[in-house]
Amino acid sequence: MLTRRQAISAVPSAALLLCGVDPAKAAAIVAVRVWPAADYTRVTIESDVPLTTKQVFAADPPRLALDITGIDLNPELKELVAKVKSDDPFISGVRVGQNAPNVVRLVLDLKQHAKPQVFTLAPVAAYQHRLVVDLYPAVAIDPLDALIAGMKSDPLGDLIAEKNRKPPQATANKPSTIANPAPTTDRLIIIAIDAGHGGEDPGAIGPAGTKEKDVVLQMAQRLQSKINDQQINGSTMRAFLTRDGDYFVPLHQRVQKAQRVKADLFLSIHADAYFTPTARGASVFALSDKGASSSAAKWIADKENKADSVGGLNIKVKDVEVKRALLDMSTTAQIKDSLLLGHGMITEIGSMAKLHKGGVEQASFAVLKAPDIPSVLIETAFISHPEEEQKLRDPEYQDQLTSAILRGLAKYFAKNPPLARSRTT
C-alpha cells in the first residue's frame, strides 16, 4: 500500500496500481469528466452514492490534493489521467493512488495559482451523485478585458477600454486624448450573445443525439462573426460571447458578464425540446413580470431556469443569493425595450423559418433579468423535432438564421438609435 507521501510523489504509472482493497465496499464510479476553459476548469467524478473529501492546497508548486472517501482505485478513475490535455489552462497533470482502504488520493498538479472550489451535487436529470472540483484563477478574469483582448489589432479596443473604465467625473471636463476621433466613437454598440447551456449541462438532446449546447454555440459564433463585420446607421458593432467553449456558466454570471462589458443588448440562443416531438418552429421570448404569456412559455422558462442545477452551481458560494436578488430588479422600461427588440427578431426569423407562434412570448426567464439591458431569448427551433434537428446541424440553415437575427438587430436600432440610450459607467 502506498504511503500518503508516496501517493503524492509517485509517478502516474506507479500511482495507478490497484492496492488489493475489496471493491465490494466501494462506491461505483459512473464517469469522470474534465471541462477546460479560460474562465475555469472543472473536474467531475460521478458515482452511484455520495462521496466525501478532505482537501489540501499547496502553493509552491501549486497543486490540489483530495482524499476521497468511499471509493477504491478503478479503471474509471484511471481515465481521468488521460482526459487532462496539454492545453488545459489550469491542470498540468493528474496523479491518483490508493491512500487507505476506501480512500483514494487525487492530486491535481496546476499550471497557475488557483482558487479551488470543491462541492457535491445531488442527483438531477441524467446525473447521479457528482463530486465537482472547480479551479478558478487566483485573479478573476474580467469580461471587459476578454473583450478588449479579442480586439488587440483593432483601435476600437482602446476606445472600449477608455469608455468603460474611466469614472464619469474623471472625464466629464477633460478633452479627448484621441486626435480627430471618428464620429462613431460614442456610438459603439456591444451585443452580448449567450449560447445556452454548456459543459455538464447539454441542454436538450435531439432524437439523433444532437446536443443543444453544441449547435447554439456554433450559431453564437456565427452571429459574433457577422456582428463584428457590421455597422448600423454609422455605429460600429462588436459582439461578446458569454461562453466561447464547452463549459458551464451559471445564469447569473451570464447576466453579469453582459453588464460588465456594458452591452447594449443581450441575446440568449437556444434550441429546446418539448414533451411532444411534433412541436416545431422558432420562438422569441422577452421577460415577463406578470406571469407567462402561455402555458408553453411557462414550461420552457421553467425548464431553462433549471440549467443551474443540471450544470452544477456551487450553492455554497456566499454571494450567490445576493447575485440572484439582482436578477429580480428588472424594470418596466427594460421589458418594453425587450419586446421592441423581440418583434424585430420574430419578423425577420419568420421570413426564413417556420415560427412556433407569430408573436413575441413572455415568461420569467432568469437569464433575461438584467435590469439595464434589453434582452431576448431566441429558441431557434425544436431540437426534439427530427426535421428541425437536422436543420440545426446544417451550416446553411445556421447562416440564414443568424443573418435573420442580424437584420432584426438592424430593425431595432433603426427605431432605437444607440445614442438615445443613457450609457453610464
Side-chain angles (χ1 to χ4, degrees):
M1 181 180 295
L2 296 177
T3 66
R4 295 173 68 92
R5 182 179 183 86
Q6 289 171 331
I8 292 181
S9 61
V11 296
S13 58
L16 290 174
L17 293 175
L18 294 176
C19 299
V21 182
D22 182 8
K25 299 179 181 179
I29 303 301
V30 177
V32 293
R33 295 178 291 273
V34 180
W35 306 98
D39 285 18
Y40 74 107
T41 285
R42 167 168 290 188
V43 177
T44 303
I45 300 175
E46 186 179 356
S47 59
D48 62 343
V49 297
L51 302 174
T52 59
T53 64
K54 291 182 179 179
Q55 58 179 303
V56 177
F57 182 76
D60 188 21
R63 63 194 183 279
L64 175 66
L66 297 173
D67 283 341
I68 308 173
T69 303
I71 60 174
D72 292 327
L73 200 57
N74 56 23
E76 287 76 15
L77 285 172
K78 293 180 182 181
E79 292 179 4
L80 186 58
V81 176
K83 288 190 174 183
V84 174
K85 305 303 180 184
S86 60
D87 60 352
D88 188 299
F90 291 89
I91 304 176
S92 61
V94 177
R95 291 173 282 147
V96 60
Q98 195 76 43
N99 197 48
N102 289 117
V103 180
V104 166
R105 169 157 287 194
L106 173 68
V107 180
L108 302 176
D109 294 310
L110 306 180
K111 294 179 179 178
Q112 59 175 288
H113 292 283
K115 291 183 177 179
Q117 293 183 15
V118 182
F119 57 98
T120 57
L121 297 169
V124 63
Y127 293 119
Q128 298 188 47
H129 296 273
R130 285 177 287 174
L131 171 64
V132 178
V133 179
D134 285 345
L135 298 168
Y136 287 91
V139 178
I141 294 176
D142 189 330
L144 183 59
D145 288 339
L147 178 62
I148 296 170
M151 302 168 61
K152 285 182 178 178
S153 61
D154 189 334
L156 282 171
D158 294 333
L159 299 181
I160 295 177
E162 188 79 11
K163 183 176 182 181
N164 285 278
R165 290 188 172 181
K166 288 189 177 180
Q169 61 268 26
T171 58
N173 299 310
K174 185 177 180 179
S176 173
T177 58
I178 302 175
N180 300 319
T184 59
T185 297
D186 291 330
R187 299 176 61 190
L188 182 67
I189 302 173
I190 299 177
I191 309 297
I193 307 173
D194 174 55
H197 309 283
E200 290 284 287
D201 176 18
I205 300 177
T210 307
K211 295 179 181 178
E212 179 183 6
K213 68 173 183 177
D214 295 332
V215 292
V216 299
L217 179 59
Q218 292 167 8
M219 285 187 279
Q221 291 169 334
R222 283 180 182 273
L223 182 58
Q224 179 190 39
S225 178
K226 291 179 186 293
I227 286 175
N228 286 347
D229 288 337
Q230 293 292 323
Q231 286 195 342
I232 291 182
N233 298 331
S235 299
T236 301
M237 297 177 67
R238 283 296 181 270
F240 168 78
L241 298 181
T242 62
R243 75 172 176 97
D244 56 6
D246 187 12
Y247 56 96
F248 168 68
V249 181
L251 297 176
H252 71 269
Q253 287 187 12
R254 296 168 186 262
V255 176
Q256 287 181 325
K257 285 185 173 187
Q259 291 175 313
R260 184 64 187 92
V261 300
K262 300 203 174 294
D264 292 89
L265 299 176
F266 180 92
L267 309 178
S268 192
I269 311 296
H270 290 257
D272 209 351
Y274 205 49
F275 56 79
T276 169
T278 58
R280 63 184 304 173
S283 304
V284 177
F285 296 88
L287 184 66
S288 172
D289 57 358
K290 298 178 181 178
S293 56
S294 69
S295 58
K298 183 180 186 306
W299 188 88
I300 291 175
D302 290 343
K303 189 168 180 288
E304 297 294 0
N305 290 346
K306 293 178 181 177
D308 279 352
S309 61
V310 178
L313 180 69
N314 184 5
I315 60 174
K316 295 181 180 179
V317 177
K318 295 181 180 179
D319 57 350
V320 164
E321 292 304 319
V322 175
K323 292 174 180 177
R324 288 192 177 281
L326 293 176
L327 297 181
D328 293 328
M329 297 169 56
S330 300
T331 64
T332 301
Q334 186 262 27
I335 294 176
K336 180 181 177 181
D337 286 342
S338 299
L339 287 170
L340 291 174
L341 173 61
H343 287 307
M345 291 288 175
I346 201 75
T347 300
E348 294 301 326
I349 293 174
S351 69
M352 53 73 57
K354 179 179 177 61
L355 297 176
H356 185 63
K357 285 193 175 181
V360 180
E361 295 199 75
Q362 291 180 261
S364 185
F365 289 90
V367 80
L368 300 183
K369 292 185 177 180
D372 51 348
I373 308 173
S375 306
V376 297
L377 185 145
I378 302 169
E379 292 285 1
T380 53
F382 279 97
I383 202 170
S384 50
H385 191 286
E387 292 181 12
E388 296 206 333
E389 178 187 18
Q390 294 303 313
K391 285 185 177 180
L392 288 167
R393 298 172 61 168
D394 182 2
E396 183 176 351
Y397 179 82
Q398 291 186 7
D399 185 68
Q400 293 174 354
L401 185 64
T402 51
S403 292
I405 294 173
L406 184 64
R407 293 195 300 271
L409 290 174
K411 182 170 289 188
Y412 173 80
F413 283 120
K415 296 182 179 179
N416 302 271
L419 285 181
R421 297 185 64 238
S422 174
R423 297 293 300 274
T424 58
T425 303

